[in-house]
Amino acid sequence: DAKTTQPTSMDCAEGRAANLPCNHSTISGNEYVYWYRQIHSQGPQYIIHGLKNNETNEMASLIITEDRKSSTLILPHATLRDTAVYYCIAYNAGNNRKLIWGLGTSLAVNP
Amino acid sequence: DARVTQTPRHKVTEMGQEVTMRCQPILGHNTVFWYRQTMMQGLELLAYFRNRAPLDDSGMPKDRFSAEMPDATLATLKIQPSEPRDSAVYFCASGLGSLSTDTQYFGPGTRLTVL
């Protein structure tokens, strides 16, 4: 099963870029990297996903290394509302592999 | 603004009682996930449905938990009998699953307390 490892916690100053790393060294060739975040007491919220190429949307950018063993989620201008737990998971709906969520990274954006 | 809805939002019950949690997926979505979240274990996948058929329920204790989709607009998760260790937040998520990608949209959760 594709497992991911993330730092337990990170801090970021408001207005600065937040770079959240994720290791997924056992990812298979067709598994996508997904990022979600969970603000306290709410359901997780989808942020972005990618397979090989870097991706960008209105919320964030996703940088995936060439060997696909790690990725970085970038919040370009972090705000206080970005304080949340960020989850990185590796998944392909067509694979018979269990979907595993880790404990994520608790990001604190400080004023 | 389409959203996944879950009822009830909070449930307090006594050990041994039956608990039923309901989820209304986003209209048109064909996949439904049930998760349990605790401080110690994080998010655990309990069951996964595609087009109302169960694809994976390996994370669910079969002796007491059951998950069904009576129709495309309703998913249920039942616990019978409930135990204190079942206390957790239960999330439902739905998605437009393809053969490879499946972005999940989560509901607000049901906070279950079993005394």
Side-chain angles (χ1 to χ4, degrees):
Chain A
D1 299 327
K3 294 183 180 177
T4 59
T5 56
Q6 300 175 252
T8 302
S9 63
M10 293 182 64
D11 286 285
C12 177
E14 187 178 18
R16 304 296 293 268
N19 298 308
L20 292 89
C22 178
N23 286 323
H24 31 80
S25 58
T26 62
I27 194 170
S28 70
N30 64 354
E31 286 180 325
Y32 290 77
V33 178
Y34 285 83
W35 283 84
Y36 290 80
R37 72 180 182 185
Q38 186 174 24
I39 297 170
H40 181 61
S41 79
Q42 298 181 20
Q45 175 192 22
Y46 166 77
I47 301 173
I48 198 168
H49 75 284
L51 183 62
K52 297 179 182 178
N53 299 322
N54 299 336
E55 302 287 346
T56 295
N57 63 18
E58 65 277 5
M59 291 182 69
S61 294
L62 173 60
I63 308 298
I64 302 174
T65 58
E66 193 167 340
D67 64 8
R68 301 206 333 115
K69 292 185 177 181
S70 66
S71 61
T72 301
L73 178 74
I74 301 172
L75 307 178
H77 305 285
T79 70
L80 299 179
R81 288 178 296 180
D82 292 323
T83 292
V85 176
Y86 287 77
Y87 296 95
C88 163
I89 58 174
Y91 179 60
N92 184 299
N95 288 354
N96 187 25
R97 297 182 93 181
K98 190 169 180 63
L99 176 55
I100 298 175
W101 294 63
L103 294 178
T105 296
S106 179
L107 174 69
V109 180
N110 304 309
Chain B
D1 186 19
R3 297 186 183 187
V4 174
T5 58
Q6 291 186 246
T7 56
R9 294 293 309 278
H10 301 273
K11 176 72 174 178
V12 179
T13 190
E14 293 188 347
M15 184 173 62
Q17 297 298 305
E18 177 178 306
V19 175
T20 299
M21 290 169 272
R22 293 176 175 81
C23 167
Q24 183 172 18
I26 293 173
L27 188 65
H29 280 189
N30 64 339
T31 56
V32 170
F33 301 77
W34 281 106
Y35 289 92
R36 173 172 62 186
Q37 186 173 39
T38 61
M39 289 291 290
M40 297 301 295
Q41 298 295 329
L43 270 166
E44 299 174 274
L45 178 66
L46 297 175
Y48 169 31
F49 288 80
R50 179 187 291 269
N51 296 323
R52 297 176 55 201
L55 286 191
D56 182 5
D57 60 0
S58 60
M60 208 162 59
K62 301 292 191 306
D63 57 337
R64 299 185 299 109
F65 285 60
S66 63
E68 296 179 344
M69 283 201 72
D71 60 59
T73 65
L74 176 65
T76 62
L77 180 67
K78 291 186 180 180
I79 309 174
Q80 170 63 24
S82 59
E83 298 181 2
R85 59 179 168 154
D86 301 328
S87 297
V89 180
Y90 290 81
F91 287 104
C92 171
S94 71
L96 267 175
S98 70
L99 287 179
S100 57
T101 61
D102 202 350
T103 299
Q104 299 171 58
Y105 297 88
F106 283 76
T110 294
R111 182 173 296 275
L112 174 65
T113 302
V114 183
L115 303 174

Short mmCIF file of all heavy atoms in Angstrom, two decimals, chain B residues 22-83:
data_model
loop_
_atom_site.label_atom_id
_atom_site.label_comp_id
_atom_site.label_asym_id
_atom_site.label_seq_id
_atom_site.Cartn_x
_atom_site.Cartn_y
_atom_site.Cartn_z
N ARG B 22 -26.47 8.73 8.40
CA ARG B 22 -26.91 8.87 7.02
C ARG B 22 -26.08 9.91 6.27
O ARG B 22 -25.61 10.88 6.87
CB ARG B 22 -28.39 9.25 6.98
CG ARG B 22 -29.30 8.15 7.48
CD ARG B 22 -30.75 8.56 7.52
NE ARG B 22 -31.61 7.44 7.89
CZ ARG B 22 -31.81 7.02 9.12
NH1 ARG B 22 -31.22 7.63 10.14
NH2 ARG B 22 -32.60 5.98 9.36
N CYS B 23 -25.98 9.68 4.99
CA CYS B 23 -25.19 10.56 4.13
C CYS B 23 -25.91 10.75 2.81
O CYS B 23 -26.38 9.78 2.20
CB CYS B 23 -23.81 9.94 3.89
SG CYS B 23 -22.84 10.72 2.57
N GLN B 24 -26.01 11.99 2.38
CA GLN B 24 -26.55 12.29 1.06
C GLN B 24 -25.40 12.79 0.19
O GLN B 24 -24.89 13.89 0.42
CB GLN B 24 -27.66 13.34 1.14
CG GLN B 24 -28.30 13.64 -0.20
CD GLN B 24 -29.52 14.54 -0.08
OE1 GLN B 24 -29.71 15.21 0.94
NE2 GLN B 24 -30.34 14.56 -1.10
N PRO B 25 -24.97 11.98 -0.78
CA PRO B 25 -23.85 12.42 -1.62
C PRO B 25 -24.27 13.55 -2.55
O PRO B 25 -25.46 13.81 -2.72
CB PRO B 25 -23.49 11.16 -2.41
CG PRO B 25 -24.70 10.29 -2.36
CD PRO B 25 -25.44 10.64 -1.11
N ILE B 26 -23.30 14.20 -3.13
CA ILE B 26 -23.58 15.25 -4.10
C ILE B 26 -24.27 14.61 -5.31
O ILE B 26 -23.84 13.55 -5.79
CB ILE B 26 -22.28 15.97 -4.51
CG1 ILE B 26 -21.73 16.75 -3.31
CG2 ILE B 26 -22.53 16.91 -5.69
CD1 ILE B 26 -20.36 17.37 -3.54
N LEU B 27 -25.33 15.25 -5.78
CA LEU B 27 -26.11 14.72 -6.89
C LEU B 27 -25.22 14.47 -8.09
O LEU B 27 -24.47 15.35 -8.52
CB LEU B 27 -27.23 15.70 -7.24
CG LEU B 27 -28.26 15.22 -8.26
CD1 LEU B 27 -29.04 14.04 -7.69
CD2 LEU B 27 -29.21 16.36 -8.63
N GLY B 28 -25.30 13.23 -8.62
CA GLY B 28 -24.51 12.90 -9.79
C GLY B 28 -23.19 12.20 -9.48
O GLY B 28 -22.56 11.63 -10.37
N HIS B 29 -22.77 12.26 -8.22
CA HIS B 29 -21.54 11.56 -7.85
C HIS B 29 -21.81 10.06 -7.80
O HIS B 29 -22.90 9.62 -7.40
CB HIS B 29 -21.04 12.05 -6.50
CG HIS B 29 -20.30 13.35 -6.59
ND1 HIS B 29 -19.59 13.88 -5.52
CD2 HIS B 29 -20.14 14.22 -7.61
CE1 HIS B 29 -19.02 15.01 -5.90
NE2 HIS B 29 -19.36 15.25 -7.16
N ASN B 30 -20.81 9.27 -8.19
CA ASN B 30 -21.02 7.83 -8.26
C ASN B 30 -20.19 7.04 -7.25
O ASN B 30 -20.26 5.82 -7.22
CB ASN B 30 -20.71 7.32 -9.68
CG ASN B 30 -19.25 7.51 -10.05
OD1 ASN B 30 -18.55 8.32 -9.47
ND2 ASN B 30 -18.78 6.74 -11.02
N THR B 31 -19.38 7.74 -6.45
CA THR B 31 -18.62 7.03 -5.42
C THR B 31 -18.93 7.63 -4.05
O THR B 31 -19.17 8.83 -3.92
CB THR B 31 -17.11 7.08 -5.66
OG1 THR B 31 -16.68 8.44 -5.75
CG2 THR B 31 -16.74 6.35 -6.93
N VAL B 32 -18.94 6.76 -3.05
CA VAL B 32 -19.20 7.18 -1.66
C VAL B 32 -18.19 6.48 -0.77
O VAL B 32 -17.92 5.29 -0.91
CB VAL B 32 -20.63 6.82 -1.22
CG1 VAL B 32 -20.79 7.04 0.29
CG2 VAL B 32 -21.64 7.66 -1.98
N PHE B 33 -17.62 7.26 0.13
CA PHE B 33 -16.65 6.76 1.09
C PHE B 33 -17.18 7.00 2.50
O PHE B 33 -17.74 8.05 2.79
CB PHE B 33 -15.32 7.51 0.96
CG PHE B 33 -14.68 7.44 -0.39
CD1 PHE B 33 -15.15 8.22 -1.44
CD2 PHE B 33 -13.59 6.62 -0.62
CE1 PHE B 33 -14.56 8.18 -2.69
CE2 PHE B 33 -12.99 6.57 -1.86
CZ PHE B 33 -13.47 7.35 -2.89
N TRP B 34 -16.92 6.07 3.41
CA TRP B 34 -17.16 6.26 4.84
C TRP B 34 -15.83 6.19 5.57
O TRP B 34 -15.06 5.24 5.37
CB TRP B 34 -18.09 5.20 5.41
CG TRP B 34 -19.54 5.39 5.14
CD1 TRP B 34 -20.32 4.72 4.27
CD2 TRP B 34 -20.41 6.34 5.79
NE1 TRP B 34 -21.62 5.18 4.32
CE2 TRP B 34 -21.69 6.17 5.26
CE3 TRP B 34 -20.23 7.31 6.79
CZ2 TRP B 34 -22.79 6.92 5.67
CZ3 TRP B 34 -21.31 8.04 7.20
CH2 TRP B 34 -22.58 7.86 6.64
N TYR B 35 -15.58 7.19 6.40
CA TYR B 35 -14.35 7.26 7.19
C TYR B 35 -14.70 7.40 8.68
O TYR B 35 -15.74 7.95 9.04
CB TYR B 35 -13.51 8.48 6.81
CG TYR B 35 -12.84 8.42 5.48
CD1 TYR B 35 -13.46 8.94 4.35
CD2 TYR B 35 -11.56 7.89 5.36
CE1 TYR B 35 -12.82 8.92 3.12
CE2 TYR B 35 -10.91 7.87 4.14
CZ TYR B 35 -11.55 8.38 3.02
OH TYR B 35 -10.92 8.37 1.80
N ARG B 36 -13.75 6.96 9.51
CA ARG B 36 -13.83 7.20 10.93
C ARG B 36 -12.56 7.96 11.32
O ARG B 36 -11.46 7.61 10.87
CB ARG B 36 -13.91 5.87 11.69
CG ARG B 36 -13.84 5.99 13.20
CD ARG B 36 -14.12 4.66 13.87
NE ARG B 36 -13.16 3.62 13.53
CZ ARG B 36 -13.27 2.36 13.91
NH1 ARG B 36 -14.31 1.98 14.63
NH2 ARG B 36 -12.35 1.48 13.57
N GLN B 37 -12.71 8.97 12.16
CA GLN B 37 -11.54 9.74 12.58
C GLN B 37 -11.47 9.83 14.09
O GLN B 37 -12.43 10.24 14.75
CB GLN B 37 -11.56 11.16 11.99
CG GLN B 37 -10.28 11.95 12.29
CD GLN B 37 -10.24 13.28 11.57
OE1 GLN B 37 -11.23 13.98 11.46
NE2 GLN B 37 -9.05 13.64 11.08
N THR B 38 -10.34 9.44 14.62
CA THR B 38 -10.04 9.60 16.04
C THR B 38 -8.69 10.28 16.18
O THR B 38 -7.91 10.32 15.22
CB THR B 38 -10.00 8.25 16.79
OG1 THR B 38 -8.95 7.46 16.19
CG2 THR B 38 -11.31 7.50 16.67
N MET B 39 -8.42 10.80 17.34
CA MET B 39 -7.15 11.47 17.57
C MET B 39 -5.99 10.50 17.41
O MET B 39 -4.95 10.85 16.86
CB MET B 39 -7.12 12.08 18.98
CG MET B 39 -8.03 13.28 19.14
SD MET B 39 -7.43 14.68 18.21
CE MET B 39 -5.98 15.10 19.14
N MET B 40 -6.18 9.28 17.87
CA MET B 40 -5.08 8.31 17.86
C MET B 40 -4.84 7.72 16.48
O MET B 40 -3.69 7.51 16.07
CB MET B 40 -5.36 7.20 18.86
CG MET B 40 -5.44 7.65 20.29
SD MET B 40 -3.90 8.41 20.82
CE MET B 40 -2.77 7.03 20.71
N GLN B 41 -5.89 7.43 15.74
CA GLN B 41 -5.77 6.69 14.47
C GLN B 41 -5.84 7.59 13.24
O GLN B 41 -5.53 7.14 12.14
CB GLN B 41 -6.86 5.62 14.38
CG GLN B 41 -6.80 4.57 15.47
CD GLN B 41 -5.54 3.73 15.36
OE1 GLN B 41 -5.02 3.51 14.27
NE2 GLN B 41 -5.02 3.29 16.50
N GLY B 42 -6.28 8.81 13.40
CA GLY B 42 -6.45 9.65 12.23
C GLY B 42 -7.64 9.19 11.40
O GLY B 42 -8.59 8.62 11.93
N LEU B 43 -7.58 9.43 10.09
CA LEU B 43 -8.67 9.07 9.19
C LEU B 43 -8.51 7.63 8.73
O LEU B 43 -7.51 7.27 8.12
CB LEU B 43 -8.68 9.99 7.97
CG LEU B 43 -9.48 11.26 8.05
CD1 LEU B 43 -9.12 12.19 6.91
CD2 LEU B 43 -10.97 10.97 8.03
N GLU B 44 -9.51 6.81 9.01
CA GLU B 44 -9.49 5.42 8.59
C GLU B 44 -10.63 5.19 7.61
O GLU B 44 -11.79 5.51 7.92
CB GLU B 44 -9.71 4.49 9.78
CG GLU B 44 -8.67 4.57 10.87
CD GLU B 44 -9.11 3.70 12.05
OE1 GLU B 44 -9.87 4.18 12.89
OE2 GLU B 44 -8.68 2.52 12.09
N LEU B 45 -10.33 4.59 6.46
CA LEU B 45 -11.37 4.26 5.50
C LEU B 45 -12.12 3.02 5.97
O LEU B 45 -11.52 1.97 6.21
CB LEU B 45 -10.75 4.01 4.13
CG LEU B 45 -11.72 3.61 3.02
CD1 LEU B 45 -12.68 4.76 2.70
CD2 LEU B 45 -10.96 3.19 1.77
N LEU B 46 -13.43 3.15 6.10
CA LEU B 46 -14.26 2.02 6.53
C LEU B 46 -14.87 1.29 5.33
O LEU B 46 -14.88 0.07 5.27
CB LEU B 46 -15.39 2.50 7.45
CG LEU B 46 -14.98 3.14 8.76
CD1 LEU B 46 -16.22 3.67 9.50
CD2 LEU B 46 -14.23 2.15 9.63
N ALA B 47 -15.40 2.06 4.38
CA ALA B 47 -16.08 1.45 3.24
C ALA B 47 -16.04 2.39 2.04
O ALA B 47 -15.94 3.60 2.20
CB ALA B 47 -17.54 1.13 3.59
N TYR B 48 -16.16 1.78 0.87
CA TYR B 48 -16.04 2.53 -0.39
C TYR B 48 -17.03 1.90 -1.37
O TYR B 48 -16.99 0.70 -1.60
CB TYR B 48 -14.59 2.43 -0.88
CG TYR B 48 -14.30 2.90 -2.27
CD1 TYR B 48 -15.00 3.93 -2.87
CD2 TYR B 48 -13.26 2.31 -2.99
CE1 TYR B 48 -14.70 4.36 -4.14
CE2 TYR B 48 -12.95 2.74 -4.27
CZ TYR B 48 -13.67 3.76 -4.84
OH TYR B 48 -13.35 4.19 -6.11
N PHE B 49 -17.93 2.74 -1.90
CA PHE B 49 -18.93 2.30 -2.85
C PHE B 49 -18.71 2.98 -4.19
O PHE B 49 -18.37 4.16 -4.25
CB PHE B 49 -20.35 2.67 -2.37
CG PHE B 49 -20.83 1.88 -1.20
CD1 PHE B 49 -20.42 2.20 0.08
CD2 PHE B 49 -21.71 0.83 -1.37
CE1 PHE B 49 -20.88 1.48 1.17
CE2 PHE B 49 -22.18 0.10 -0.29
CZ PHE B 49 -21.76 0.43 0.98
N ARG B 50 -18.94 2.23 -5.25
CA ARG B 50 -18.96 2.82 -6.59
C ARG B 50 -20.24 2.37 -7.27
O ARG B 50 -20.51 1.17 -7.32
CB ARG B 50 -17.74 2.41 -7.41
CG ARG B 50 -17.72 3.00 -8.82
CD ARG B 50 -16.58 2.40 -9.62
NE ARG B 50 -15.29 2.86 -9.11
CZ ARG B 50 -14.66 3.94 -9.57
NH1 ARG B 50 -15.17 4.65 -10.54
NH2 ARG B 50 -13.49 4.29 -9.08
N ASN B 51 -21.01 3.33 -7.77
CA ASN B 51 -22.30 3.01 -8.40
C ASN B 51 -23.14 2.11 -7.49
O ASN B 51 -23.77 1.14 -7.94
CB ASN B 51 -22.09 2.34 -9.76
CG ASN B 51 -21.41 3.26 -10.76
OD1 ASN B 51 -21.68 4.46 -10.78
ND2 ASN B 51 -20.54 2.70 -11.57
N ARG B 52 -23.12 2.43 -6.21
CA ARG B 52 -23.90 1.79 -5.16
C ARG B 52 -23.40 0.41 -4.77
O ARG B 52 -23.92 -0.19 -3.83
CB ARG B 52 -25.39 1.71 -5.54
CG ARG B 52 -26.04 3.06 -5.72
CD ARG B 52 -27.48 2.92 -6.18
NE ARG B 52 -28.24 2.07 -5.27
CZ ARG B 52 -29.37 1.44 -5.59
NH1 ARG B 52 -29.85 1.57 -6.81
NH2 ARG B 52 -30.02 0.72 -4.71
N ALA B 53 -22.38 -0.11 -5.46
CA ALA B 53 -21.86 -1.43 -5.10
C ALA B 53 -20.65 -1.27 -4.19
O ALA B 53 -19.77 -0.43 -4.45
CB ALA B 53 -21.47 -2.19 -6.36
N PRO B 54 -20.57 -2.07 -3.14
CA PRO B 54 -19.40 -1.97 -2.25
C PRO B 54 -18.15 -2.50 -2.94
O PRO B 54 -18.13 -3.62 -3.45
CB PRO B 54 -19.81 -2.85 -1.06
CG PRO B 54 -20.82 -3.80 -1.60
CD PRO B 54 -21.54 -3.09 -2.69
N LEU B 55 -17.10 -1.69 -2.97
CA LEU B 55 -15.83 -2.10 -3.56
C LEU B 55 -14.81 -2.51 -2.50
O LEU B 55 -13.97 -3.36 -2.75
CB LEU B 55 -15.25 -0.96 -4.41
CG LEU B 55 -15.90 -0.67 -5.75
CD1 LEU B 55 -15.04 0.28 -6.56
CD2 LEU B 55 -16.15 -1.96 -6.53
N ASP B 56 -14.87 -1.86 -1.37
CA ASP B 56 -13.89 -2.15 -0.32
C ASP B 56 -14.52 -1.82 1.02
O ASP B 56 -14.86 -0.69 1.28
CB ASP B 56 -12.63 -1.32 -0.54
CG ASP B 56 -11.55 -1.61 0.52
OD1 ASP B 56 -11.76 -2.52 1.35
OD2 ASP B 56 -10.51 -0.93 0.51
N ASP B 57 -14.70 -2.83 1.83
CA ASP B 57 -15.15 -2.60 3.21
C ASP B 57 -14.23 -3.31 4.17
O ASP B 57 -14.62 -3.70 5.27
CB ASP B 57 -16.61 -3.01 3.39
CG ASP B 57 -16.84 -4.49 3.11
OD1 ASP B 57 -15.86 -5.19 2.77
OD2 ASP B 57 -17.97 -4.95 3.21
N SER B 58 -12.99 -3.49 3.76
CA SER B 58 -12.04 -4.23 4.58
C SER B 58 -11.68 -3.51 5.87
O SER B 58 -11.21 -4.13 6.82
CB SER B 58 -10.77 -4.52 3.77
OG SER B 58 -10.17 -3.31 3.36
N GLY B 59 -11.91 -2.22 5.92
CA GLY B 59 -11.59 -1.46 7.12
C GLY B 59 -12.69 -1.46 8.16
O GLY B 59 -12.54 -0.85 9.22
N MET B 60 -13.77 -2.14 7.87
CA MET B 60 -14.94 -2.11 8.74
C MET B 60 -15.05 -3.38 9.57
O MET B 60 -14.97 -4.47 9.02
CB MET B 60 -16.19 -1.99 7.85
CG MET B 60 -17.35 -1.32 8.47
SD MET B 60 -18.54 -0.78 7.24
CE MET B 60 -18.95 -2.32 6.48
N PRO B 61 -15.24 -3.23 10.89
CA PRO B 61 -15.48 -4.42 11.72
C PRO B 61 -16.80 -5.05 11.32
O PRO B 61 -17.87 -4.49 11.57
CB PRO B 61 -15.54 -3.84 13.15
CG PRO B 61 -14.93 -2.49 13.06
CD PRO B 61 -15.19 -2.00 11.68
N LYS B 62 -16.76 -6.21 10.71
CA LYS B 62 -17.95 -6.79 10.09
C LYS B 62 -18.97 -7.28 11.12
O LYS B 62 -20.16 -7.41 10.78
CB LYS B 62 -17.56 -7.97 9.20
CG LYS B 62 -16.62 -7.65 8.08
CD LYS B 62 -17.26 -6.75 7.03
CE LYS B 62 -16.40 -6.66 5.77
NZ LYS B 62 -15.02 -6.24 6.07
N ASP B 63 -18.52 -7.57 12.30
CA ASP B 63 -19.47 -8.14 13.27
C ASP B 63 -20.47 -7.13 13.77
O ASP B 63 -21.57 -7.48 14.19
CB ASP B 63 -18.70 -8.76 14.44
CG ASP B 63 -17.79 -7.76 15.14
OD1 ASP B 63 -17.41 -6.76 14.49
OD2 ASP B 63 -17.45 -7.98 16.32
N ARG B 64 -20.12 -5.84 13.68
CA ARG B 64 -21.02 -4.85 14.24
C ARG B 64 -21.34 -3.70 13.28
O ARG B 64 -22.29 -2.98 13.49
CB ARG B 64 -20.41 -4.27 15.51
CG ARG B 64 -20.18 -5.30 16.60
CD ARG B 64 -19.69 -4.66 17.88
NE ARG B 64 -18.41 -3.97 17.70
CZ ARG B 64 -18.28 -2.65 17.72
NH1 ARG B 64 -19.33 -1.87 17.92
NH2 ARG B 64 -17.09 -2.09 17.56
N PHE B 65 -20.56 -3.52 12.27
CA PHE B 65 -20.75 -2.41 11.33
C PHE B 65 -21.34 -2.92 10.02
O PHE B 65 -21.00 -4.01 9.56
CB PHE B 65 -19.41 -1.73 11.01
CG PHE B 65 -18.86 -0.84 12.09
CD1 PHE B 65 -18.57 -1.34 13.35
CD2 PHE B 65 -18.62 0.50 11.84
CE1 PHE B 65 -18.06 -0.51 14.35
CE2 PHE B 65 -18.10 1.33 12.82
CZ PHE B 65 -17.81 0.82 14.07
N SER B 66 -22.19 -2.11 9.42
CA SER B 66 -22.69 -2.41 8.09
C SER B 66 -22.90 -1.11 7.33
O SER B 66 -23.31 -0.10 7.92
CB SER B 66 -23.99 -3.22 8.14
OG SER B 66 -25.01 -2.48 8.77
N ALA B 67 -22.61 -1.14 6.05
CA ALA B 67 -22.78 0.04 5.20
C ALA B 67 -23.58 -0.36 3.97
O ALA B 67 -23.36 -1.42 3.40
CB ALA B 67 -21.42 0.61 4.78
N GLU B 68 -24.53 0.51 3.61
CA GLU B 68 -25.38 0.23 2.46
C GLU B 68 -25.66 1.50 1.69
O GLU B 68 -25.50 2.61 2.21
CB GLU B 68 -26.72 -0.36 2.92
CG GLU B 68 -26.62 -1.70 3.60
CD GLU B 68 -27.98 -2.21 4.05
OE1 GLU B 68 -28.94 -1.42 4.11
OE2 GLU B 68 -28.07 -3.41 4.36
N MET B 69 -26.10 1.31 0.44
CA MET B 69 -26.60 2.42 -0.37
C MET B 69 -27.94 2.01 -0.94
O MET B 69 -28.02 1.42 -2.02
CB MET B 69 -25.64 2.79 -1.49
CG MET B 69 -24.45 3.59 -1.03
SD MET B 69 -23.67 4.51 -2.38
CE MET B 69 -24.88 5.80 -2.67
N PRO B 70 -29.04 2.28 -0.23
CA PRO B 70 -30.37 1.89 -0.70
C PRO B 70 -30.71 2.50 -2.05
O PRO B 70 -31.40 1.88 -2.86
CB PRO B 70 -31.31 2.41 0.38
CG PRO B 70 -30.44 2.64 1.58
CD PRO B 70 -29.07 2.94 1.08
N ASP B 71 -30.25 3.71 -2.29
CA ASP B 71 -30.39 4.33 -3.59
C ASP B 71 -29.25 5.33 -3.79
O ASP B 71 -28.42 5.51 -2.90
CB ASP B 71 -31.77 4.99 -3.77
CG ASP B 71 -32.03 6.08 -2.75
OD1 ASP B 71 -31.23 7.06 -2.71
OD2 ASP B 71 -33.00 5.97 -1.98
N ALA B 72 -29.23 5.96 -4.94
CA ALA B 72 -28.09 6.82 -5.29
C ALA B 72 -28.01 8.08 -4.45
O ALA B 72 -26.99 8.77 -4.46
CB ALA B 72 -28.17 7.20 -6.78
N THR B 73 -29.08 8.40 -3.72
CA THR B 73 -29.09 9.64 -2.93
C THR B 73 -28.91 9.39 -1.45
O THR B 73 -28.96 10.32 -0.66
CB THR B 73 -30.41 10.39 -3.15
OG1 THR B 73 -31.49 9.61 -2.62
CG2 THR B 73 -30.64 10.70 -4.61
N LEU B 74 -28.69 8.15 -1.04
CA LEU B 74 -28.59 7.86 0.38
C LEU B 74 -27.59 6.75 0.64
O LEU B 74 -27.64 5.68 0.03
CB LEU B 74 -29.95 7.46 0.95
CG LEU B 74 -29.98 7.04 2.42
CD1 LEU B 74 -29.61 8.22 3.32
CD2 LEU B 74 -31.34 6.48 2.80
N ALA B 75 -26.68 7.01 1.56
CA ALA B 75 -25.76 5.99 2.07
C ALA B 75 -25.94 5.92 3.58
O ALA B 75 -26.12 6.96 4.23
CB ALA B 75 -24.32 6.33 1.72
N THR B 76 -25.90 4.71 4.13
CA THR B 76 -26.07 4.56 5.57
C THR B 76 -24.93 3.74 6.15
O THR B 76 -24.37 2.86 5.51
CB THR B 76 -27.40 3.86 5.93
OG1 THR B 76 -27.40 2.55 5.36
CG2 THR B 76 -28.58 4.64 5.39
N LEU B 77 -24.59 4.08 7.38
CA LEU B 77 -23.60 3.33 8.16
C LEU B 77 -24.25 3.00 9.49
O LEU B 77 -24.69 3.89 10.20
CB LEU B 77 -22.34 4.16 8.38
CG LEU B 77 -21.22 3.48 9.18
CD1 LEU B 77 -20.64 2.30 8.41
CD2 LEU B 77 -20.11 4.48 9.51
N LYS B 78 -24.33 1.71 9.78
CA LYS B 78 -24.97 1.27 11.02
C LYS B 78 -23.97 0.57 11.92
O LYS B 78 -23.10 -0.16 11.45
CB LYS B 78 -26.13 0.31 10.71
CG LYS B 78 -27.30 0.96 10.03
CD LYS B 78 -28.47 -0.02 9.89
CE LYS B 78 -29.64 0.65 9.20
NZ LYS B 78 -30.80 -0.26 9.04
N ILE B 79 -24.14 0.79 13.20
CA ILE B 79 -23.36 0.10 14.22
C ILE B 79 -24.35 -0.57 15.17
O ILE B 79 -25.21 0.09 15.75
CB ILE B 79 -22.45 1.06 15.01
CG1 ILE B 79 -21.62 1.92 14.07
CG2 ILE B 79 -21.54 0.25 15.94
CD1 ILE B 79 -20.79 3.00 14.79
N GLN B 80 -24.24 -1.87 15.29
CA GLN B 80 -25.12 -2.62 16.17
C GLN B 80 -24.43 -3.88 16.67
O GLN B 80 -24.12 -4.75 15.86
CB GLN B 80 -26.42 -2.99 15.46
CG GLN B 80 -27.32 -3.98 16.19
CD GLN B 80 -27.84 -3.46 17.53
OE1 GLN B 80 -27.92 -2.26 17.74
NE2 GLN B 80 -28.14 -4.39 18.43
N PRO B 81 -24.17 -4.01 17.97
CA PRO B 81 -24.37 -3.01 19.01
C PRO B 81 -23.20 -2.04 19.10
O PRO B 81 -22.06 -2.39 18.76
CB PRO B 81 -24.43 -3.87 20.28
CG PRO B 81 -23.51 -5.01 19.97
CD PRO B 81 -23.66 -5.28 18.49
N SER B 82 -23.46 -0.84 19.53
CA SER B 82 -22.38 0.14 19.65
C SER B 82 -21.57 -0.10 20.94
O SER B 82 -22.09 -0.66 21.92
CB SER B 82 -22.95 1.56 19.65
OG SER B 82 -23.87 1.73 20.72
N GLU B 83 -20.30 0.30 20.89
CA GLU B 83 -19.40 0.17 22.03
C GLU B 83 -18.69 1.50 22.24
O GLU B 83 -18.55 2.29 21.30
CB GLU B 83 -18.38 -0.94 21.76
CG GLU B 83 -18.99 -2.32 21.58
CD GLU B 83 -17.94 -3.39 21.33
OE1 GLU B 83 -16.73 -3.07 21.33
OE2 GLU B 83 -18.35 -4.57 21.16
#
